[in-house]
Amino acid sequence: MEAVLAILIGLLVAASVYLMLAKSILRFLFGLILISNAANLLIFAAGRLTPGQPPLIPEGADAPFGTVANALPQALVLTAIVIGFGLFAFALVLAWRAYTELGTLDSDEMRLAEPREGGS
Amino acid sequence: MSWLLAAPLIIPFAAAVAAFLLRNGPWGRRVSVAGSALALAASVALMVTVLQEGVVAAQMGAWPAPFGITLAADLLSAVMVVITAITGLAVAVYATGDITERQERLGFHALFQVLLAGVTGAFVTGDLFNLYVWFEVMLIASFGLLVLGGSKEQIDGGVKYVLLNLVSTILFLSGVGLLYGMTGTLNMADLAVTVPEVENQGLVTVVAMMFMVAFGVKAAVFPLFFWLPASYHTPAFSVSAVFAGLLTKVGVYALIRVFTLIFTGDTGYTHTVLLWVAGFTMAVGVLGAAAQTDFRKILSFHIVSQIGYMILGLALYTPLALAGAVFYLVHHIIVKANLFLVSGVAHRIAGGTELGRIGGLYKTAPLLAVLFLIPAFSLAGFPPLSGFWAKYVLVKASLEAGNWVIAGVALAVGLLTIFSMTKIWGEAFWKPHPEGTDPRLSSLPAADRRALIVPIAALAALTCVIGLFPEPFVAFAERAAGQLLDPEDYILTVLGGRPAVPVQVAEALP
Amino acid sequence: MNSVILMAGSRILVALLLVFSVFMLLRGHNEPGGGFIGGLIGAVGFVIYAIACGTSSAREALRVPPETVAAAGLGVALLGGVWAAVDGDAFFTGQWLFLGATEDSKGLPLSSVLVFDVGVYLVVFGSILSLVFALEEEV
């Protein structure tokens, strides 16, 4: 299972790098969303996969019986997803504002803060 | 102990909440100033304790390390917290005269306090994942501050700042994931124990490089600094001052922390990379500044060049060099924030930051001229100001390490810094104003004038004090460097004095 | 959007979603649920209302600006953490109050964890709504 997940992470990263190399800010954002999902999967995989053994403590017991899945990476992934969600919501709003204010999503043409030499 | 460490975090958050709820009146800014002053008191208390008792650590929610969330402060953390609080207070006062009511209603003071909380949190956390969370807190607040008000230039700069910082964040997160997969822990003290025991040391170095790139983007080192000069000259002056003073330094702090505590197994490789990075960062930053003609853009490029000095201290990895890096961090935060504050006043009274369009400040505002000269000369490294000692320690350390080339680069960059500072001096202060107006401080309303000048004067005085009495500060920096190079005390304090037991990673089923 | 069906339906849906969000918040202590998911569900209620009747009437129905809700939530969450000071414990240590506890029953357990969760609920609720309202008004 780990191998499959590792290949999937690799594919996601490859696709996102391809997207992020584009000029358009929107494509860059899509790439960012993909790569953040890849990072989340990476943490998940780093915690080792234990299918079918949820980290739940049975009624009346103090500790789980036998091997259970590692709950910590799941907590980390959850935190990362929540934070990532907030950041992307902000980045999308910003991209929209940039499009309405600057009239372009082409990063080569966004030179308002750093005008070209000679004012062209 | 727990409250001592938590107070510098709780106070700014509480101030943020109060300032936001009161954002429509004058009480918002008063709460912000009061909160910053309280935070300064709390951080000084923390500093005193660390000086007396050595490293302090606290477990949030009473969950023992390495399972719970740890806050820990050694001398480096403590001094960074104090300097954050000083900068925070200075900028909070400055903001009362600089920030418009519209920006206040949008929640400037709340965002500013959250930013301070994020920066402080990054300095005192003892856990890598928590460091990530604090980075995000800081990042979200800085996004808001950067585009607050939403002029076209701000949006343009903000897009670059936001996107490149998000990439670095994700790299950081991936590094955290891989490190957890190898060691089964994310507590920094615990990592210091477990990382040397990892069999696959090659993978450790790979992860170390991921952290180097991720923190390198935050610290704006060569070749990852492009977002900084693209965005730092666009927001309100208070915002650029606090960004310039604190944000990149969090990256530097994180680099120093992980490359002295966790990734010390292959210093021959990682620290050599850092040395090259340091040299190029210094040179490229200062050359970039030489080509600029805008007050704030010149200063932005100088942030990059100065970061190089701090990385140099880390890269040489000798006690003296690290002490130099710590000293430089403290000196630089004060000086750089101050220069941006001065640029704000120059903007207000002379009508711009483009050097070609302003002038005459020396003749009609001599007080401002003196207040500019002190941090500017300190930045360039003139004796007897703080920058001189910072550079002196670092150059001496490079010479002692036998690295003549990097010492030469450091000195040459200092010389070019003087060139940039004299350029600002000559254009903005000495030459007559091109439109023939006389920029005067008295043209500002009295309340604004006080709010703008007092923090600048206070920070300039601090620079002079460090410059005139450097000995206790250097001795302190040497103690802090000693702690960094010998983290035994830190590890034992965080892990509760128990012999550190590596946590077993739950293995997959056979 | 101008749809009579949606407008009529949204009144029932909003109420249902808000009740369900509180249910999720309270259930979260020992079972799946909690402040984050509760806040999301509650926000969805108002988002539906905003889609059906427009953001201005949704803002009116909310009475306070969503940003204020989020800031107040941050304050409540902070209180949940600071509460531990009363008993001299470390920051964020859970404090418990058992209402009507007897020898063999714990009664109704109330905790500072719940206070923190309520804070999270308000933060999520407020920040999602402020984002969505801002976007709806832009487009």
Side-chain angles (χ1 to χ4, degrees):
Chain A
M1 258 318 263
E2 271 95 347
V4 179
L5 210 52
I7 292 169
L8 176 65
I9 294 167
L11 281 174
L12 279 175
V13 172
S16 67
V17 169
Y18 174 75
L19 280 171
M20 286 202 280
L21 291 176
K23 275 184 193 172
S24 163
I25 296 287
L26 204 58
R27 277 184 172 234
F28 189 98
L29 270 178
F30 290 154
L32 221 48
I33 293 171
L34 275 190
I35 203 171
S36 86
N37 285 334
N40 290 338
L41 277 178
L42 179 68
I43 298 180
F44 185 60
R48 308 296 189 274
L49 300 179
T50 40
Q53 284 152 318
L56 296 177
I57 301 169
E59 188 93 44
D62 285 335
F65 300 126
T67 320
V68 292
N70 189 347
L72 185 74
Q74 298 178 19
L76 300 187
V77 170
L78 192 63
T79 316
I81 289 175
V82 170
I83 293 175
F85 166 73
L87 289 178
F88 286 124
F90 182 89
L92 277 172
V93 175
L94 188 66
W96 168 257
R97 284 295 303 271
Y99 181 65
T100 50
E101 294 271 332
L102 308 172
T104 177
L105 278 175
D106 184 335
S107 50
D108 277 354
E109 286 171 21
M110 298 175 110
R111 311 234 13 153
L112 210 66
E114 297 169 286
R116 282 197 180 83
E117 295 288 316
S120 65
Chain B
M1 206 55 78
S2 148
W3 294 95
L4 198 64
L5 274 160
L9 294 174
I10 298 171
I11 293 167
F13 269 125
V17 172
F20 192 82
L21 296 179
L22 299 167
R23 66 187 181 281
N24 288 324
W27 277 100
R29 58 187 95 112
R30 289 175 200 160
V31 163
S32 172
V33 172
S36 304
L38 266 180
L40 179 58
S43 48
V44 168
L46 174 65
M47 182 67 169
V48 169
T49 315
V50 174
L51 274 175
Q52 284 168 352
E53 299 175 16
V55 183
V56 293
Q59 319 297 340
M60 295 300 97
W63 292 91
F67 307 107
I69 293 172
T70 302
L71 298 185
D74 58 358
L75 285 172
L76 175 64
S77 300
V79 74
M80 294 308 285
V81 171
V82 171
I83 215 76
T84 304
I86 291 176
T87 318
L89 180 59
V91 176
V93 173
Y94 186 90
T96 59
D98 175 52
I99 295 300
T100 61
E101 273 187 28
R102 177 162 166 268
Q103 287 165 323
E104 280 187 338
R105 273 199 297 279
L106 288 169
F108 167 84
H109 294 296
L111 283 171
F112 175 70
Q113 292 293 336
V114 172
L115 181 77
L116 289 182
V119 172
T120 312
F123 289 146
V124 294
T125 183
D127 183 286
L128 265 188
F129 191 79
N130 231 258
L131 184 64
Y132 164 78
V133 174
W134 288 117
F135 266 59
E136 301 298 303
V137 170
M138 194 172 90
L139 217 54
I140 291 172
S142 71
F143 289 175
L145 286 173
L146 192 62
V147 298
L148 196 75
S151 77
K152 287 188 181 187
E153 281 197 359
Q154 276 176 300
I155 303 263
D156 186 17
V159 165
K160 293 157 192 171
Y161 175 87
V162 168
L163 295 185
L164 291 181
N165 270 293
L166 284 179
V167 174
S168 100
T169 300
I170 288 164
L171 257 178
F172 180 17
L173 191 61
S174 311
V176 166
L178 286 174
L179 204 56
Y180 180 77
M182 281 189 289
T183 60
T185 179
L186 286 173
N187 184 295
M188 289 199 245
D190 204 24
L191 279 172
V193 180
T194 45
V195 162
E197 290 167 10
V198 171
E199 279 174 32
N200 191 348
Q201 282 297 323
L203 189 55
V204 170
T205 308
V206 170
V207 174
M209 294 311 288
M210 284 179 90
F211 278 99
M212 195 188 288
V213 174
F215 294 149
V217 174
K218 304 270 177 206
V221 299
F222 177 86
L224 308 163
F225 63 86
F226 299 102
W227 56 269
L228 192 149
S231 58
Y232 269 27
H233 61 283
T234 57
F237 287 88
S238 312
V239 174
S240 16
V242 75
F243 279 20
L246 296 175
L247 286 199
T248 45
K249 261 52 87 189
V250 180
V252 176
Y253 166 84
L255 276 174
I256 292 180
R257 182 61 77 204
V258 299
F259 282 97
T260 56
L261 186 63
I262 301 172
F263 301 117
T264 51
D266 194 6
T267 48
Y269 179 70
T270 51
H271 288 63
T272 309
V273 174
L274 280 174
L275 193 64
W276 282 93
V277 164
F280 277 112
T281 308
M282 285 192 278
V284 171
V286 87
L287 291 177
Q292 298 296 326
T293 56
D294 180 282
F295 206 142
R296 277 204 280 185
K297 278 189 192 167
I298 294 177
L299 295 179
S300 300
F301 269 103
H302 273 293
I303 301 176
V304 176
S305 117
Q306 307 283 316
I307 294 291
Y309 284 95
M310 300 164 213
I311 305 295
L312 167 64
L314 171 63
L316 289 173
Y317 203 55
T318 62
L320 188 65
L322 269 176
V326 173
F327 194 100
Y328 213 109
L329 266 172
V330 172
H331 138 77
H332 178 77
I333 291 177
I334 298 171
V335 166
K336 192 51 110 190
N338 204 4
L339 281 172
F340 271 89
L341 295 182
V342 172
S343 78
V345 179
H347 174 81
R348 276 285 284 274
I349 63 175
T353 53
E354 183 61 40
L355 289 178
R357 291 203 200 129
I358 57 174
L361 286 168
Y362 175 66
K363 197 174 156 201
T364 48
L367 175 65
L368 188 68
V370 172
L371 291 179
F372 169 76
L373 269 192
I374 292 172
F377 278 180
S378 180
L379 190 76
F382 274 35
L385 295 161
S386 57
F388 169 72
W389 303 106
K391 285 204 169 71
Y392 171 77
V393 173
L394 279 173
V395 170
K396 186 164 172 242
S398 357
L399 290 179
E400 270 180 16
N403 207 324
W404 301 87
V405 181
I406 204 81
V409 171
L411 287 173
V413 169
L415 212 61
L416 283 168
T417 310
I418 301 176
F419 165 71
S420 284
M421 290 302 130
T422 44
K423 185 163 79 182
I424 298 181
W425 176 252
E427 295 279 328
F429 288 88
W430 231 332
K431 83 162 195 263
H433 199 287
E435 284 159 26
T437 51
D438 285 342
R440 284 176 199 284
L441 282 175
S442 53
S443 64
L444 298 170
D448 278 10
R449 193 166 63 225
R450 258 195 312 272
L452 296 178
I453 294 297
V454 168
I456 296 178
L459 291 181
L462 201 57
T463 315
C464 291
V465 168
I466 299 180
L468 292 172
F469 307 100
E471 207 183 325
F473 295 95
V474 172
F476 173 87
E478 278 175 345
R479 259 181 80 189
Q483 269 186 356
L484 287 174
L485 286 172
D486 180 22
E488 194 70 18
D489 192 19
Y490 181 89
I491 295 168
L492 282 180
T493 313
V494 170
L495 297 180
R498 291 174 287 113
V501 187
V503 184
Q504 293 297 315
V505 179
E507 287 296 333
L509 281 186
Chain C
M1 199 181 291
N2 207 352
S3 148
V4 180
I5 299 174
L6 188 62
M7 274 168 79
S10 75
R11 306 213 167 163
I12 308 165
L13 267 180
V14 173
L16 266 179
L17 280 166
L18 284 178
V19 171
F20 185 55
S21 77
V22 175
F23 168 71
M24 281 311 257
L25 164 69
L26 294 177
R27 179 185 131 100
H29 192 71
N30 286 323
E31 280 168 287
F36 182 78
I37 199 75
L40 278 181
I41 294 169
V44 164
F46 272 92
V47 170
I48 288 178
Y49 192 74
I51 291 172
C53 310
T55 43
S56 53
S57 49
R59 274 184 197 276
E60 239 167 69
L62 196 60
R63 283 161 201 271
V64 278
E67 294 88 359
T68 308
V69 176
L74 187 62
V76 172
L78 208 58
L79 271 185
V82 178
W83 191 347
V86 179
D87 296 355
D89 286 332
F91 187 45
F92 268 130
T93 312
Q95 306 295 321
W96 290 87
L97 183 68
F98 297 101
L99 280 189
T102 52
E103 281 292 311
D104 42 317
S105 132
K106 278 185 181 169
L108 178 64
L110 291 177
S111 67
S112 63
V113 183
L114 180 67
V115 177
F116 182 78
D117 238 10
V118 171
V120 172
Y121 177 96
L122 292 176
V123 170
V124 172
F125 181 82
S127 39
I128 298 280
L129 279 186
S130 41
L131 267 173
V132 171
F133 285 175
L135 264 181
E136 285 262 321
E137 281 158 9
E138 286 270 350
V139 181

